[in-house]
Amino acid sequence: MACQGLQGGETVASLKRESESLRKKLEEERKKLSDIELNQVAEKIEVLGPLSIKTRRVLKGHGNKVLCMDWCKDKRRLVSSSQDGKVIVWDAFTLNKEHGVALPCTWVMACAYAPSGCAVACGGLDNKCSVFPLSLDKNENLSAKKKSVAMHTNYVSGCTFTSSDMQILTSSGDGTCALWDVESGQLLQSFHGHTADVLSLDLAPSETGNTFVSGGCDKKANIWDMRSGQNIQSFESHESDINCVKYYPSGDAFASASDDATCRFYDLRADREVAVYQKDSVIFGASTVDFSLSGRLLFAGYNDYTINVWDVLKGTRASILFGHENRVSRVRVSPDGTALCSASWDNTLRVSWAAYL
């Protein structure tokens, strides 16, 4: 059936060769426009001084690998999800567990706080994304108020609310991303373009932004228009799975973390990669990235249990953070930029405060 639309003399193999040839030509045209590298532009900018980032809190309560976390907009609370099948809402200042939910399946791979702070979402190997409304009654049974919003045909790898509590974006191992209405559970838009599992997504930071970025096992990072469902930009320079993508604070660029042991920085206006963050001594895959509030620093968690802090402009490593005893699965800077939280397969989360984030 798939071959019925082929013209005379055409085969699937010949069309593949033609598309590969066109892709190479596009790459060559892109390279012609690459007149200067980011680190060359930043040569005259002052070198960063010593960074003082120290762990102030260690959150213990999960019985297995912590796979994901997200900050609340109030800059104090955070939600985490784990392989133990639990979702916990924490007060990062007092270490109190404010809410806890046990889900019917293990490997809760994604979680997100709603913009209002009144709900959390989570998903994983159950192929669903569920939303739990939060209340002031800490003894309330949240499981009874669970609302199943999204349904994929494979695991849910990521979820994030849009600018309101009413819509949620999900990414999945079925190779798609999707936009859902929280109230009705209706599918509003689906996004097809990846050829393998989608492992991460991030919404453009502008409140009126209608784009998001996704990355996955096909080594591609794609930019999508949420209104049309179209893939409007695509970047393919990693040599292995893209584990995480994160927008730059201005929304004009994004970073990616990959199993090829590099993090990369892409400028959307230039439509190309402008920096690679790597060192010969860094041989383990990067699992997660996030920017400081100013955008000068890039925090990257690695499979060797460390967090490398990169100078975004100069492309050099500014610092290295130790403390975790297993793979760092997630790093997130708080909304006010004063704290960094990292989640790890060592069953803990660590919250660090610093003067410069």
Side-chain angles (χ1 to χ4, degrees):
M1 290 294 291
C3 297
Q4 284 183 357
L6 295 178
Q7 302 296 316
E10 285 183 338
T11 64
V12 173
S14 70
L15 289 174
K16 278 184 178 176
R17 285 195 297 272
E18 186 181 345
S19 68
E20 187 63 25
S21 169
L22 287 170
R23 193 178 69 81
K24 285 180 179 174
K25 285 179 183 175
L26 281 171
E27 285 300 318
E28 286 168 9
E29 291 301 317
R30 268 183 181 170
K31 285 175 182 173
K32 287 177 187 175
L33 300 172
S34 304
D35 53 347
I36 193 166
E37 294 299 318
L38 182 63
N39 59 355
Q40 293 173 288
V41 178
E43 277 179 357
K44 294 179 182 177
I45 293 175
E46 281 186 36
V47 178
L48 286 172
L51 300 176
S52 176
I53 304 173
K54 293 180 181 175
T55 300
R56 308 294 183 185
R57 302 281 189 276
V58 179
L59 308 182
K60 297 179 180 179
H62 282 293
N64 214 318
K65 300 169 183 173
V66 185
L67 304 174
C68 190
M69 62 78 48
D70 191 31
W71 284 97
C72 179
K73 287 278 198 298
D74 70 2
K75 316 169 190 100
R76 176 168 182 153
R77 289 170 181 80
L78 55 91
V79 62
S80 62
S81 63
S82 166
Q83 189 188 339
D84 63 11
K86 290 187 174 64
V87 174
I88 298 176
V89 175
W90 310 78
D91 183 323
F93 290 1
T94 65
L95 304 185
N96 289 342
K97 301 175 187 70
E98 297 198 344
H99 300 280
V101 187
L103 295 173
C105 83
T106 56
W107 283 90
V108 188
M109 302 168 72
C111 63
Y113 233 116
S116 68
C118 296
V120 293
C122 61
L125 287 189
D126 58 357
N127 301 359
K128 298 176 186 173
C129 182
S130 303
V131 174
F132 297 87
L134 302 177
S135 69
L136 295 174
D137 182 3
K138 295 176 184 177
N139 298 315
E140 187 176 19
N141 179 15
L142 292 182
S143 296
K145 300 173 76 175
K146 179 175 84 168
K147 181 191 286 270
S148 291
V149 174
M151 191 72 190
H152 282 275
T153 57
N154 208 327
Y155 65 89
V156 173
S157 57
C159 62
T160 184
F161 286 89
T162 60
S163 53
S164 77
D165 291 15
M166 302 314 297
Q167 293 182 352
I168 193 165
L169 266 170
T170 56
S171 59
S172 169
D174 63 16
T176 70
C177 299
L179 178 66
W180 309 84
D181 180 82
V182 171
E183 194 60 39
S184 66
Q186 183 181 353
L187 175 64
L188 301 175
Q189 187 69 262
S190 58
F191 306 90
H192 300 264
H194 284 283
T195 55
D197 303 21
V198 184
L199 299 180
S200 177
L201 83 168
D202 189 43
L203 192 67
S206 164
E207 286 193 9
T208 56
N210 290 297
T211 62
F212 72 94
V213 60
S214 64
C217 293
D218 56 3
K219 310 174 196 174
K220 286 183 184 176
N222 290 336
I223 306 291
W224 304 89
D225 187 318
M226 285 166 57
R227 295 160 298 185
S228 66
Q230 295 297 307
N231 178 196
I232 53 177
Q233 280 178 283
S234 189
F235 302 90
E236 193 176 1
S237 56
H238 277 293
E239 294 168 10
S240 191
D241 299 4
I242 296 176
N243 295 315
C244 184
V245 284
K246 186 69 181 173
Y247 264 101
Y248 191 70
S250 70
D252 293 322
F254 73 92
S256 58
S258 169
D259 279 342
D260 64 13
T262 71
C263 297
R264 295 171 190 259
F265 189 50
Y266 300 90
D267 189 311
L268 300 180
R269 296 161 300 183
D271 193 38
R272 71 179 184 96
E273 174 193 294
V274 291
V276 182
Y277 307 102
Q278 62 184 350
K279 280 178 77 75
D280 290 341
S281 58
V282 178
I283 58 172
F284 288 86
S287 52
T288 176
V289 284
D290 197 12
F291 289 99
S292 62
L293 193 65
S294 66
R296 181 68 191 270
L297 300 176
L298 179 69
F299 298 93
Y302 288 79
N303 296 346
D304 63 356
Y305 318 164
T306 63
I307 298 171
N308 284 325
V309 187
W310 300 96
D311 184 327
V312 171
L313 298 179
K314 292 187 173 292
T316 56
R317 187 166 66 185
S319 184
I320 184 166
L321 309 179
F322 300 94
H324 282 297
E325 296 170 7
N326 207 325
R327 168 181 172 157
V328 179
S329 54
R330 187 83 157 178
V331 290
R332 280 292 173 264
V333 174
S334 63
D336 63 354
T338 59
L340 173 74
C341 182
S342 55
S344 170
W345 284 15
D346 65 9
N347 305 1
T348 70
L349 299 104
R350 300 174 76 92
V351 182
S352 308
W353 272 270
Y356 188 105
L357 285 184

